[in-house]
Amino acid sequence: QVQLVESGGGLVQAGGSLRLSCAASGRYFSNYAMGWFRQAPGKEREFVAAINWRGSNTNYADSVKGRFTISRDNAKNALYLQMNSLKSEDTAVYYCAGSYGIQRGIKPDDYDYWGQGTQVTVSS
C-alpha cells in the first residue's frame, strides 16, 4: 500500500509555470505506475499524464502534450509534474495516483491509490 501527498499548487498567471510534487510513503513505490489527473468544478476527473514504474515510458492527454512533463524519482519516492505555458483551462485540482497492476492507465478506475489533491489556478 502507498500513501500519496501532493504539493506545489498555487496561483499563476497564464503563460507561467508550476511544478507539482507527489510524495509517496509506504513500501515498494517503484512497483507502481503513477499518474496525474485533474478535476475542474462541475467536470469529471480527467487524465493528464502517466508514467510506468521505471520511468522509461510516459503518455499525456492531448490537451497538455508539449507543455507538461511527468517524471519520477524512485530513490526519493517522488512523482513530479512540470507544467509550462499554463492556460486558464488548466485550472483544476490536480491529483496524483498509483496503480499496482496497470501501466500508464488513462482512466481513474485504472488506479488504486489517490492523494488528496492540490489546487492549481491559472489567471488570464
Side-chain angles (χ1 to χ4, degrees):
Q1 191 170 0
V2 63
Q3 293 80 43
L4 305 172
V5 179
E6 303 93 337
S7 62
L11 174 64
V12 63
Q13 288 188 330
S17 298
L18 279 176
R19 189 193 195 204
L20 304 184
S21 298
C22 176
S25 60
R27 304 180 71 181
Y28 310 121
F29 171 74
S30 60
N31 287 359
Y32 291 84
M34 299 297 295
W36 287 99
F37 286 76
R38 66 187 182 187
Q39 189 167 19
K43 295 187 176 181
E44 294 187 350
R45 192 167 297 189
E46 66 172 0
F47 170 73
V48 175
I51 190 167
N52 70 335
W53 66 274
R54 189 187 300 177
S56 56
N57 288 292
T58 59
N59 55 310
Y60 297 90
D62 288 343
S63 59
V64 306
K65 202 171 294 183
R67 299 188 298 123
F68 290 11
T69 302
I70 187 172
S71 62
R72 66 190 295 165
D73 186 338
N74 288 341
K76 295 182 179 180
N77 279 14
L79 175 74
Y80 306 102
L81 185 68
Q82 178 66 44
M83 306 187 294
N84 298 328
S85 303
L86 283 161
K87 306 175 181 180
S88 57
E89 50 263 44
D90 295 319
T91 295
V93 176
Y94 283 71
Y95 299 89
C96 67
S99 171
Y100 189 70
I102 297 176
Q103 295 293 319
R104 296 186 292 130
I106 64 172
K107 298 176 296 183
D109 286 348
D110 292 337
Y111 291 82
D112 306 298
Y113 304 105
W114 293 85
Q116 84 290 348
T118 185
Q119 176 71 47
V120 171
T121 303
V122 183
S123 63
S124 57

